[in-house]
Amino acid sequence: MIDDRDNRSIATLVSDLVQQLSTLVQTEGRLLRSELNESAHKVGNGAMEVAAGALLLLAALIVLLQALIVGLANLGLGVGWASLLVGVLVAAIGAMLVKRGSTNMSPSELAPNRTAHQLRKDADLAQEQAR
């Protein structure tokens, strides 16, 4: 036979468990929101880098076309070759920015890894406590 003291203890334990689970869910929710916010900032920064890279590639195309025209006109190493060198440099910088921005927007960079890891740890801990 179970006395009232044991029933109160079980009721208290169940109440504490519910309260702790509620706190855990709220904490995990805050972590998820924080990670998603961080991912959104990465997407924004990546998009700005892609746009900057695209603008630099456009400028590089203009400079390279100018270099080709001047180079063909002069058929020598004058101003045209200097323009060609500048165009190649701008194209390289633009390509680097586009690549970096694209990398920052990849799904692996945006996944809430810390939250998933913490949820796995919490589930493991809950399983241990249930034993």
Side-chain angles (χ1 to χ4, degrees), residues 28-103:
E28 297 300 340
R30 284 193 298 271
L31 177 61
L32 178 61
R33 280 191 303 273
S34 173
E35 237 181 306
L36 291 176
N37 189 27
E38 183 179 314
S39 293
H41 285 292
K42 278 187 177 182
V43 167
N45 290 339
M48 287 186 341
E49 287 176 341
V50 167
L55 286 174
L56 286 175
L57 286 171
L58 180 60
L61 177 62
I62 293 168
V63 171
L64 289 170
L65 290 174
Q66 177 190 8
L68 178 61
I69 292 169
V70 172
L72 288 174
N74 291 337
L75 290 176
L77 287 176
V79 176
W81 288 110
S83 296
L84 184 62
L85 180 61
V86 169
V88 169
L89 180 63
V90 170
I93 293 169
M96 181 185 69
L97 285 173
V98 168
K99 183 177 180 184
R100 219 174 104 190
S102 297
T103 300

